[in-house]
Amino acid sequence: MARVVVDVMLKPEILDPQGKAVQGALPRLGFAGISDVRQGKRFELEVDGELTDERLAEVHEIAEKLLSNPVIEDFSVYVEEFADDEDDEQ
Amino acid sequence: MARVVVDVMLKPEILDPQGKAVQGALPRLGFAGISDVRQGKRFELEVDGELTDERLAEVHEIAEKLLSNPVIEDFSVYVEEFADDEDDEQ
């Protein structure tokens, strides 16, 4: 079992109103020096069994066909081993 | 200048209907063997100047106060150097 992460971000040339809204809020909240914010999506997929090249190619296909819109978005796929949980504890 | 990434995911004990919808669609589209899908947010922040520990602490504060809801979400902050652009080209 492995965790595969798919990050989906708007292409650089596409306007990102969500990111701009966050960026606009920062100075009002007292944070300076952030020159750009982009907001995208992160998907965590738990893949059963051994993660072969074939399975990884399948995840690529899922990312392209289901998780992203290739007209306006770029995606990247990477493997995050199952035992690791790198989330910060709150 | 540095790019700092903030990943925001629902805590594991919080139901994720968006992820479940994606997971439910996979078998219908011919993809088997994905046992769970979680959907979250990814923010890319361009930080001006040198990325000191102080600036990074500020990004942590932004992540906690503005980008996530600590009641239901976990976040993680990591630095992605500016020169690198690891997005897959479509």
Side-chain angles (χ1 to χ4, degrees), chain A residues 7 35-36 40 42 44 46, chain B residues 7 35 38 40 42 44 46:
Chain A
D7 287 330
S35 60
D36 195 25
R42 174 188 163 95
E44 293 180 354
E46 307 293 337
Chain B
D7 287 331
S35 60
R38 308 278 294 173
R42 174 187 163 96
E44 294 180 353
E46 306 294 337

Side-chain angles (χ1 to χ4, degrees), chain B residues 3-72:
Chain B
R3 173 175 296 169
V4 180
V5 175
V6 179
D7 287 331
V8 178
M9 300 297 293
L10 285 168
K11 286 178 189 285
E13 65 270 26
I14 306 288
L15 284 177
D16 175 5
Q18 284 183 304
K20 284 282 171 249
V22 172
Q23 194 188 339
L26 289 173
R28 293 198 301 271
L29 294 168
F31 300 107
I34 308 286
S35 60
D36 195 24
V37 178
R38 308 278 294 173
Q39 179 171 348
K41 287 173 284 185
R42 174 187 163 96
F43 297 91
E44 294 180 353
L45 283 71
E46 306 294 337
V47 180
D48 291 340
E50 209 195 333
L51 191 68
T52 56
D53 285 353
E54 213 170 60
R55 300 307 308 277
L56 207 54
E58 209 173 78
V59 173
H60 255 272
E61 211 184 322
I62 291 171
E64 199 178 342
K65 293 191 175 166
L66 184 63
L67 305 180
S68 73
N69 176 353
V71 177
I72 57 167

